[in-house]
Each structure stands twice: as structure tokens, then as C-alpha cells.
Amino acid sequence: MSTDSVPGRAETVVIGAGAVGCSVAYHLTELGADDVVALDQGPLPVTGGSSTHAPGIMFQTSPSKIQTKTAHYTSRLLKDAGVYDEVGGIEVARSEERMDFLQRRVEWATSYGLPEPQLLEPEEVVEHLPLLDEDEILGGYYSPTDGRVSGTDALQWYIEQSSADFYGHTEVTDIEVSGGEIQAVETNRGRIECDRCVLATNNWAYQTGQMVGLDLPIAPVEHQYVVTEPMEELQGGDSTPGDATAGLDVPGDRNITEFMAQPPDRPVGRDQDHSLYFRTHGDGYGLGSYNHEPLVVDPDEMGKNSDESQASVHSFTEKHWTKPTHPNRETSAKQAFDELLPATQDKDFRVTENGIFVYTPDGMPVVGETPQIDGLWTGLAIWWTHSGGYGRILAEWMENGVPRLPSGPVDTGSIHVARFEPHAGNKQYFMDRGGLRYQQVYSIVEPRFQPSEHRGLRESPFHQQQAELDAEFYQSGGWETAQWFGSNEDLVSKYEDRIPEQEGWQDVNRSPIEAAEHLHTRENVSMYDMTSFSSIMIEGEDAGAFLQRICSNDMDIGVGRVRYTTMLNEGGNVLADLTVARLGEDEYMVTTGGGNSPGIHGSWIERHAPDTVSVTVEESAKCTVGLWGPKSRLLLQRVTDADVSNDGFPYFGCKRIFVGDVPAIAMRVSYVGELGWELWAPAEYGRKLWETLWEAGSDLDVRPIGDGALESMRLEKGFRLWGTDIDTDVNPLEAGLPFAVDLDTNFIGKEALAEAKETGIDNQVACLTLDDSTDIMLSGRPVVANGDARGYVQAGGFGYSVGESIAYTYLPSEYADAGTSVQIQCEGETYDATVSDEPLFDPGRDKILR
């Protein structure tokens, strides 16, 4: 409901009453939250943000599971509300490469549960979209539940259906924080004390973040859209421009909001080969274009509404419509539309806009509680397509501690507000990367695509030595990490009979050197740069008790021992997997993955620590070498006086040693399933650490290895990777990690996990091997049993030691037993596969325990 007087206090204040803010407020109250207030600087429901100048087209299929799931939830919610036109959606192909891409669309949709995805022949496309030139297309992808949301009507529905109080014409001037906790929201109409605050300000996200000292990396970008004059071919529609916004307060050009409200009478369409999309608006066609150079707006200059204009709508720039300014497109938007929809050629436009919406550096939303400020939540960089789903996820997270949809828990690693690396908040960086994401939005982006700008930001102390070994550097979390090394090319001929060739999409940006490095490590000794991985020091007399509270395993371990564990949320789902080393009576080192792990996992641990425990997230403070392979003990013993024999330094042990002159913490753990150690040293000793090991191992043929070899080795050993095989959408029992759980201890998530164990596990991890192919399976591709999709590929690769193509998935328990036959659909092919016992490599652990 909407009211006039601003209260002095509310439990929750939502800033922004567009698609996301309204969804969050609605879902919070649906879940039982009381005293929710939503504010917007503009009038309601037409706020002047992107929600009411957007054409509302909703294509649900994405390579991202969470994006697809949130889109489908949104479409069902809004359809039930009566504000969604389920006319279907068609993406056309004008190239063979795009047809291959559309086949991937079918596979992703099948994997993630969208109904009836299908490929169409050109004549079938034209049956749905009769104004298209059939000769211009090779085919299409059809999703029958795609469609269009009526933005103004949907916002009004949220406001009417929610028990939250909504206030328009209310500008937030400040957000008050004290002691690291949210206190109040200051507005031009008074101060509102609150316990929780949600930023749902999309285009103004950077500005609202700055109010509390946060550099939120969210870049506003202009985007072109036009609506043609009436077309004879579209006469007969029953919508009348002027009715939809009658009686509403509309900032700026009323025509924009009015025409966006006109419904389509046929499927919405996309021509991604030319970065275009389109739909009907009554008797006119709406034409949208990403087919121009990125027009990134300085987020400090977003401005406000006026009687003449909406702040999120800029003037239409003719040259970006008529000239080919997109760096990867040879034709202009006008030329491409003239070819595809010749009936629109030379039509005048009744509506034009350069509308503004936002991108993040990785193109994904920003959701969750900020690590810096308790009670400050974000729901940002979210489009209409996904807004209902993310509103539900955020409300569940806030109310129940578990991010989920009605279908179950969701994975949050790719959307978490804490995932960004320290440099991402630099305005020029995120504006440039946001522009790149805009440029790529309809492009076919290759697997492992690497940007060329803003490189060399984070380099380990070993970087120069690796560069001299001709490392192929990829960027991950800002780190330059080696994927493989050109210096190892000589190994390819040595192992060529064990390295199957890959073709097509499976071979893009791969090298056979990755396989050779894998095989060399199994037989000799290799060095892997783990500096991007994270260490967290936990100290104090209550450190052990604290770790027991946040870890699912029994953490009563002796000094000098290491234990693997998981860290769970209240729902018993995996927040992180950790390796914990007890270095002293009250001193522990916790290690976890790289990339976004310090921000997400480190901040979570810091937030939950009592005052009697010191937590130090050592991002970049240490450098690390993984020294692995059957000759690793021989090499390490040459450079240390410490006893590294099996008796003197057993598996899952740790101790402080000197590697030559370098002080290091050595842990006998191995992510590749070989004898070996992780050697953690202060960063300033890094160059010397590498040099010492390299020189001592020269006669042992020590080699560097990159991420490619690491991935294939961990897959055949069955080691999990957070964010890929495990995330907040599974619990450790489902993930095949019961050894990381001790229900006789007390930890966060225990009650939910105990209940899950009692009721039984419906889905569980499964290791698949292909029956008669060496092709590599790609993530997100459906796993089929008895004719229906039962899961999808979480991670795939080739196990060069076991000679099998491997895919990890989750399957219903009745299909997860070893020996069960399934099929995998990938790149238009169907592959026979079998569920196998894991691990495939060294199941008796003879190599790792030697």
C-alpha cells in the first residue's frame, strides 16, 4: 500500500521502488516481515528509473543457472499477477555460429527446467513473426514462456499487494551508520531509524553506496530504443496509446512510458548477430539496439527527474542508430533492421530514447549483505527479467538466513556483493568493464575469454619467473594466473598418445600443454602458483571454540595437524570448504580458494568472530607454491632441515619450516591427488622461494604447471571446487562430503543438516564417464535419464591419467548409483555415459599417502 506520511522508524527501509525494490518489499512482507518501508525519489509507480522506460521484454534462457531460475520465477509470478504477456520469445540466427549458439540455448534451457525449448526452421520462425524476411535467417530458438512484463502495471500490483508502505517523491540524502551497523536513512522528508536497509537503486547504486563509503562497481550505460509510427501490417490491435498512464504522475516524456505499456501481439524477438531485439507495441514495432559503441555514463552524473525528462532517459543519438559504431559489428542498427524487418524501413519514430541501465564488471547482479556494514543489503544490477526472483532470494536471505527460491536453495557465489576484488571499485575500471559487458551482451563470448584492458593488476611474486617460462596468463579475480606454460611444449610429444584431440567449441582456448603438464606431475614433480588462494589467520584463547562453531567437522585437532571441513549457512548449505591448520595452541591458519573467496568467506568469518578472537584475512600477504608429484619429497628434503619423511611429516600435517632461507608454513595437502605440500611464505620472500625450489629440482625435471592441469587432475581425483561443484545450493551430504561433517559437534547449520540426513538425500553428486568418446563435456549441459533431464554438467574435463572424459553432476538418488547409464547432451550431440565410483584416480590413496 502507499501512504503519505514518512515514519520516524521502520524495521526495514528499501531505497528504490522500481522492479527490484518493489519485489523485495513485496516478498519480505509475504514472508512475514513487519514494518517495511520503500522509498523512491520519483512518483509512484512511474519512478523515473529504468523500470518504466524499459520495453519489458523477458528472455529467460541463460548459460547461468541462477539467471535462468530467477527469470522463470519472475515470469510465473508476474503471469499469475496478470501483468505478463506470455507471447513466447524467438532468437533468430543469421550465421552458422549463431545456430550453434542457439543449440546451446536449448541445452541450457533443458538443464535448468524451462518448458519446451526448441529450434525452429526459418519458415517456422516466420509463422510466428510474419514480418521477418525468411531469406535473412537460418533458423531460430523458441521459448514459449518468454514474453513481456507491463512495467507500470507490475509496479502498481506490487504496491497494492504488499503490506509494505511505499513513499514516492522521497529523496534519500544520507544513510547513517555507527559502529559498523545501519542506523537510519535520512530523506528530504525526515529521518527514518531502521535495523535493515536495502539498496535497490540500480542506476544510482554508486551514489547511494558512496553515502556509506562503499565503492559499488556498477556502471550506468545508455541503450537505444525506438517505436515506429503506425504500420499498416499491424493494424487491428486493441490497445490505445494514452490509456495506460492516464491519471498517473509521469516525469519527462509521457509517450515513453505510455508506449512501453502497450502489449505485444506476437513473440518478442532478438537478432543477436546484430545486437538487436524487437517487439510490437499495438500498431507499431519497437526496435531495441545494443548495436553501437558503449555509452557509459559517469555514475556521479546520473542526475534527477524533472518535468521535462526522466533522469534515466537521455536524448536519442541518431548517429548510433544509422552508423556502425559497435566495434564488432559491420552494419548499423538501421541497416540490420531494414534487412530483417523490411516493413519497418524508412518508418518514422513516435518514441525514441537512449535509456539507461547498469552493468557490473562481470555482468552479474549484486545481491546480499555488505561485509562492511551490518544490516545493509543490496539488490542491484538486476533487470526486469530477473527482478521477481532476486527479490524472493533476497527476502529469504534476510528473513531466514538462506538464499532460496521455492524450488530450493540457490548458489550465490556469482552474485554476492562481497565477490569483487579491491580494485573493482575504481570508477574508471568498472566503467570500462561495464562498457565491455555492454558490448558483449549479444556477442558469442568464447570459453575462457580474456579481456585486453586493465591487465597486470595483481601479480604474484613469481610472476616474472613464470613469464620467463612463457606462461599463458589468464585473469581471475584480478590475478594474473598461468593457464599453461609454453616452456612445457616439449612434453606434448612425449605424451601425445595419451592426449586426445578436441574439436570445435570444446577446443576453444585450450592447449595440449595442459594435458602434458598433468601427466608430467603424475610422474615427476611440478610447481603450481597458489598465491591467489587465501589464508585467514584465526588466533586467541577462544579461537578453537569459534572454529568449532563455524565449521561442520570436529575441529578438536592437535597442534601440527590439518583438517578439511565445510562452513555452512543456517540452511545447512555450503558457504565454503576450508582447510584448517593448527599452528599453535591458540593459532590457526584457514585456507580457502582464490578469486572472490577473501571477500565472501573472509568477511563472513570476520563478522561472526567474537571479540576474544582475532581474524586476519591475509589477502596478498602470503605467496604459495603447490609442490606436487612423486618426487616432491626428494626435492623438498634438499632445501630444508625439517623432517619431511612420511613418519616425520604425515599426510594432513603442518609445521613451520625453512625452505632454504625462506620461512614457510608447510602443509602436507594436495589438491591434485599426489604426494606433495603447500608452502606458504610471506609475499616478500616469494621470488626466493620459487628460485630455491626451481634450482634444487633442476635434475628432477621440475616443471611449472597452470590452472588447466590443476583442473583436470582435481576432477579425476574427485576434489570439489567451491563455486563450481559446491555452493550454497547444496549441503555437504549431497556433495559427497560426509567426512567433513561431525554431527556430534555444534555448528551453524547443524539442525538443518541433521534434518536432511534424517529425511534422506533426494539429490547427490555423481561422477560420470563417457562410454565411447574422449570429447570434453561443457558445464550447464543436460544429463538425461529415461528421456528426461535429471541434472546438468557442473564441471567437465578429460582425465589424462585415467583415460576418461569426466563430468560431475548432481542426480536424483535413484540415478546416482555406480553403473547407472545416462546421456549427456552437448553441442548438439548426445553422448552415452555411466555413473562411476569416485575417485577415479588412486582410490586407495596410495600415491598421496606414500
Side-chain angles (χ1 to χ4, degrees):
M1 64 180 177
S2 181
T3 63
D4 295 324
S5 57
V6 178
R9 171 164 179 80
E11 180 184 353
T12 306
V13 174
V14 180
I15 305 176
V20 180
C22 282
S23 174
V24 171
Y26 167 81
H27 284 99
L28 280 172
T29 56
E30 282 289 289
L31 293 173
D34 295 322
D35 201 12
V36 177
V37 166
L39 313 173
D40 204 284
Q41 63 182 342
L44 299 178
V46 186
T47 62
S50 57
S51 297
T52 52
H53 73 63
I57 292 174
M58 289 177 56
F59 293 96
Q60 300 167 84
T61 312
S62 168
S64 162
K65 175 185 175 181
I66 194 169
Q67 291 285 84
T68 304
K69 289 286 190 181
T70 52
H72 193 55
Y73 175 88
T74 304
S75 73
R76 300 308 88 192
L77 173 72
L78 298 180
K79 181 182 179 183
D80 289 345
V83 295
Y84 179 71
D85 300 298
E86 192 177 276
V87 292
I90 295 178
E91 303 175 30
V92 300
R94 292 215 251 177
S95 66
E96 294 291 349
E97 293 80 8
R98 184 64 60 178
M99 280 303 300
D100 291 341
F101 179 82
L102 296 186
Q103 175 62 51
R104 293 174 206 133
R105 286 281 198 213
V106 174
E107 291 167 4
W108 294 325
T110 302
S111 290
Y112 305 143
L114 292 185
E116 302 179 41
Q118 53 196 281
L119 291 181
L120 302 180
E121 296 294 330
E123 58 270 21
E124 294 175 302
V125 172
V126 175
E127 287 177 10
H128 289 285
L129 295 169
L131 298 189
L132 265 65
D133 185 342
E134 184 178 329
D135 294 335
E136 283 292 320
I137 60 176
L138 301 180
Y141 164 67
Y142 180 50
S143 174
T145 58
D146 286 352
R148 166 264 184 185
V149 58
S150 175
T152 303
D153 291 342
L155 295 179
Q156 191 65 48
W157 179 84
Y158 277 131
I159 292 169
E160 291 173 354
Q161 295 299 313
S162 174
S163 60
D165 293 329
F166 291 80
Y167 300 89
H169 297 295
T170 305
E171 180 183 352
V172 172
T173 57
D174 199 11
I175 302 172
E176 185 180 324
V177 174
S178 179
E181 298 179 352
I182 196 76
Q183 300 293 319
V185 174
E186 295 274 2
T187 80
N188 62 340
R189 299 172 63 189
R191 180 176 181 269
I192 308 173
E193 292 185 2
C194 60
D195 301 319
R196 305 183 299 192
C197 177
V198 181
L199 302 183
T201 49
N202 264 10
N203 295 340
W204 292 267
Y206 180 76
Q207 292 184 11
T208 48
Q210 290 291 289
M211 291 179 181
V212 291
L214 298 181
D215 297 316
L216 295 173
I218 300 174
V221 184
E222 295 183 30
H223 166 63
Q224 292 197 306
Y225 196 81
V226 303
V227 180
T228 70
E229 63 185 342
M231 297 171 56
E232 182 177 346
E233 297 87 346
L234 298 177
Q235 296 299 314
D238 58 3
S239 61
T240 304
D243 292 346
T245 60
L248 296 180
D249 185 0
V250 179
D253 184 355
R254 180 178 292 269
N255 275 340
I256 292 176
T257 303
E258 178 62 41
F259 275 91
M260 295 310 116
Q262 304 309 311
D265 63 352
R266 61 197 65 187
V268 297
R270 288 204 286 204
D271 171 16
Q272 293 178 293
D273 282 314
H274 295 87
S275 297
L276 307 176
Y277 65 94
F278 47 93
R279 77 166 178 91
T280 57
H281 294 254
D283 58 5
Y285 239 116
L287 312 175
S289 168
Y290 294 89
N291 190 351
H292 55 78
E293 62 186 340
L295 303 172
V296 184
V297 179
D298 187 324
D300 280 321
E301 299 177 4
M302 267 304 302
K304 302 176 184 178
N305 293 331
S306 68
D307 291 338
E308 293 74 31
S309 65
Q310 293 186 24
S312 61
V313 176
H314 284 189
S315 297
F316 185 74
T317 48
E318 185 75 21
K319 73 172 184 177
H320 292 112
W321 189 261
T322 60
K323 306 293 183 183
T325 63
H326 191 292
N328 300 326
R329 301 283 184 257
E330 295 181 355
T331 59
S332 69
K334 181 182 184 328
Q335 180 183 343
F337 271 128
D338 287 349
E339 295 167 351
L340 183 66
L341 283 164
T344 66
Q345 188 171 357
D346 300 325
K347 295 296 182 185
D348 290 333
F349 300 144
R350 289 180 285 184
V351 171
T352 62
E353 64 169 328
N354 278 21
I356 297 175
F357 55 7
V358 295
Y359 280 93
T360 58
D362 58 11
M364 292 295 285
V366 178
V367 182
E369 189 174 15
T370 62
Q372 299 89 344
I373 302 169
D374 288 346
L376 183 63
W377 293 76
T378 57
L380 300 166
I382 298 167
W383 298 0
W384 258 121
T385 304
H386 314 99
S387 56
Y390 281 119
R392 177 63 181 262
I393 289 169
L394 189 55
E396 290 274 7
W397 205 345
M398 294 173 70
E399 285 295 291
N400 302 313
V402 182
R404 60 188 171 197
L405 291 168
S407 57
V410 298
D411 51 322
T412 58
S414 64
I415 63 169
H416 203 295
V417 63
R419 74 185 184 272
F420 296 107
E421 51 274 3
H423 59 266
N426 175 49
K427 193 161 62 171
Q428 191 60 57
Y429 174 85
F430 72 72
M431 288 176 66
D432 288 348
R433 282 292 167 88
L436 177 61
R437 291 296 172 180
Y438 179 90
Q439 177 182 316
Q440 292 178 325
V441 67
Y442 278 3
S443 299
I444 300 174
V445 180
E446 295 180 343
R448 304 182 184 184
F449 165 81
Q450 291 296 296
S452 58
E453 296 183 346
H454 297 285
R455 297 298 299 268
L457 294 171
R458 309 177 82 180
E459 297 177 351
S460 86
F462 318 131
H463 182 85
Q464 184 58 41
Q465 288 149 314
Q466 293 180 94
E468 292 170 0
L469 294 166
D470 196 17
E472 180 69 22
F473 287 111
Y474 283 14
Q475 192 177 74
S476 175
W479 287 98
E480 297 292 339
T481 63
Q483 194 70 21
W484 66 80
F485 290 83
S487 61
N488 290 328
E489 189 170 8
D490 64 300
L491 295 174
V492 174
S493 58
K494 177 180 179 180
Y495 296 112
E496 60 184 349
D497 61 328
R498 299 171 65 182
I499 305 174
E501 292 186 9
Q502 300 295 327
E503 296 180 349
W505 205 242
Q506 286 102 319
D507 190 44
V508 173
N509 292 327
R510 293 183 183 272
S511 170
I513 297 174
E514 299 168 79
E517 291 175 358
H518 169 138
L519 293 165
H520 174 85
T521 305
R522 293 279 189 236
E523 296 178 0
N524 296 281
V525 59
S526 296
M527 294 164 57
Y528 174 74
D529 181 2
M530 295 180 60
T531 301
S532 64
F533 286 52
S534 307
S535 61
I536 303 167
M537 299 303 296
I538 299 179
E539 300 171 89
E541 60 180 353
D542 295 327
F546 169 60
L547 279 166
Q548 187 59 76
R549 176 66 180 147
I550 66 171
C551 294
S552 64
N553 213 340
D554 181 4
M555 302 313 297
D556 184 15
I557 57 176
V559 174
R561 298 302 297 159
V562 175
R563 182 147 292 169
Y564 177 80
T565 183
T566 58
M567 189 168 69
L568 310 179
N569 62 21
E570 288 86 345
N573 300 111
V574 180
L575 282 172
D577 63 332
L578 310 173
T579 303
V580 180
R582 190 173 187 181
L583 302 177
E585 193 65 28
D586 299 320
E587 181 186 16
Y588 298 80
M589 185 172 78
V590 175
T591 68
T592 183
N596 56 22
S597 186
I600 297 176
H601 305 142
S603 64
W604 193 92
I605 292 172
E606 286 180 312
R607 172 173 291 167
H608 286 79
D611 293 339
T612 54
V613 173
S614 169
V615 176
T616 306
V617 180
E618 295 188 311
E619 188 172 15
S620 308
K622 287 189 173 80
C623 61
T624 314
V625 171
L627 185 69
W628 298 316
K631 298 179 182 178
S632 58
R633 176 178 285 121
L634 177 59
L635 195 162
L636 184 58
Q637 192 65 81
R638 290 178 176 181
V639 295
T640 185
D641 292 333
D643 183 357
V644 296
S645 67
N646 201 35
D647 291 335
F649 203 147
Y651 184 56
F652 263 53
C654 63
K655 62 174 72 174
R656 285 187 165 95
I657 68 173
F658 284 93
V659 179
D661 296 329
V662 176
I665 296 170
M667 296 197 302
R668 191 177 160 193
V669 295
S670 167
Y671 194 50
V672 299
E674 291 289 339
L675 172 68
W677 284 261
E678 293 178 5
L679 303 173
W680 297 73
E684 65 269 24
Y685 287 98
R687 186 174 182 85
K688 188 64 175 178
L689 175 63
W690 185 280
E691 180 182 286
T692 299
L693 293 168
W694 189 257
E695 291 179 355
S698 60
D699 64 321
L700 302 177
D701 198 20
V702 66
R703 299 280 185 139
I705 63 170
D707 290 341
L710 184 80
E711 173 68 3
S712 61
M713 295 175 82
R714 74 98 187 168
L715 276 176
E716 65 179 15
K717 187 59 181 171
F719 290 149
R720 309 297 188 247
L721 176 62
W722 189 85
T724 300
D725 316 310
I726 52 175
D727 207 321
T728 47
D729 57 343
V730 298
N731 68 46
L733 304 180
E734 294 167 327
L737 302 174
F739 58 87
V741 175
D742 187 339
L743 289 173
D744 291 331
T745 64
N746 291 312
F747 53 87
I748 296 171
K750 174 183 175 179
E751 293 78 10
L753 196 60
E755 182 180 352
K757 183 177 181 180
E758 180 69 22
T759 58
I761 301 301
D762 295 329
N763 258 39
Q764 62 191 74
V765 74
C767 174
L768 311 179
T769 55
L770 298 192
D771 293 349
D772 53 10
S773 176
T774 58
D775 290 355
I776 289 176
M777 299 295 93
L778 302 175
S779 63
R781 307 312 171 90
V783 177
V784 176
N786 291 336
D788 292 321
R790 309 292 179 177
Y792 62 93
V793 176
Q794 305 276 151
F798 194 82
Y800 300 97
S801 305
V802 299
E804 302 272 11
S805 181
I806 306 166
Y808 268 86
T809 185
Y810 285 83
L811 292 174
S813 297
E814 61 267 30
Y815 295 102
D817 291 335
T820 303
S821 295
V822 297
Q823 294 178 316
I824 302 174
Q825 297 172 358
C826 185
E827 292 298 294
E829 300 291 332
T830 298
Y831 297 84
D832 292 327
T834 302
V835 178
S836 300
D837 285 321
E838 60 166 344
L840 298 170
F841 178 77
D842 190 28
R845 303 200 300 171
D846 297 331
K847 292 172 72 66
I848 206 168
L849 295 177
R850 68 174 68 186

